[in-house]
Amino acid sequence: MAEMAQMRRVQPVVTGDVLYHASSRRILQDVVTCIREGCTIDEAGSRLERYADRHLKTPQEMARLFRDYPEAVARTVEIAERCTFKLSDLTYQYPDELEQEGEGYEAEFAERAFKQLEGLGS
């Protein structure tokens, strides 16, 4: 990747290819994979992540992992410091178009969910 970045004249960054915040949450990722694939954990086999290292790592661990690319680590830190996003900035607005006349959102959602579940059984 570093060679590709150099060939394209872009500044490289490092990532951990993160799927979950802590290694203890890998099982949740496996469950999500099974839901997406429509299978059980026992049936999932090679569809599950091969390694359990797709969690957030400490800055020290990232520096160690990418010690041969200190400029990429520095660029990543620079980008992260410019990010101002906070979870508290998020608000959820349920879409108005789902509500059918005379029904609440919950009834509409339940009806759609049951229709999807019925389709899984066939």
Side-chain angles (χ1 to χ4, degrees):
M1 292 302 256
E3 289 175 14
M4 196 181 320
Q6 187 176 15
M7 286 173 37
R8 305 265 191 275
R9 294 188 174 111
V10 297
Q11 295 179 355
V13 296
V14 299
T15 70
D17 203 14
V18 172
L19 293 174
Y20 36 90
H21 73 288
S23 59
S24 63
R25 303 303 279 184
R26 179 188 176 167
I27 188 67
L28 180 59
Q29 176 62 35
D30 290 347
V31 169
V32 170
T33 298
C34 289
I35 292 168
R36 183 184 67 239
E37 296 290 327
C39 64
T40 67
I41 292 280
D42 292 335
E43 298 167 342
S46 63
R47 292 176 275 194
L48 300 178
E49 290 297 320
R50 188 171 182 178
Y51 303 105
D53 66 345
R54 308 252 335 246
H55 58 87
L56 290 173
K57 295 171 184 63
T58 65
Q60 296 80 12
E61 180 68 2
M62 291 297 284
R64 184 189 69 75
L65 288 170
F66 295 100
R67 65 183 164 269
D68 293 339
Y69 304 99
E71 70 288 345
V73 173
R75 178 72 177 138
T76 303
V77 170
E78 178 187 327
I79 292 169
E81 288 173 345
R82 293 170 58 187
C83 294
T84 60
F85 170 80
K86 295 180 290 231
L87 286 177
S88 61
D89 292 339
L90 293 179
T91 59
Y92 185 74
Q93 297 176 347
Y94 206 78
D96 292 331
E97 66 270 10
L98 287 181
E99 188 169 7
Q100 294 178 0
E101 202 168 307
E103 293 188 44
Y105 294 126
E106 294 85 3
E108 171 76 10
F109 181 78
E111 181 182 332
R112 287 177 179 226
F114 282 117
K115 282 182 181 176
Q116 288 296 317
L117 287 172
E118 288 170 1
L120 289 176
S122 50

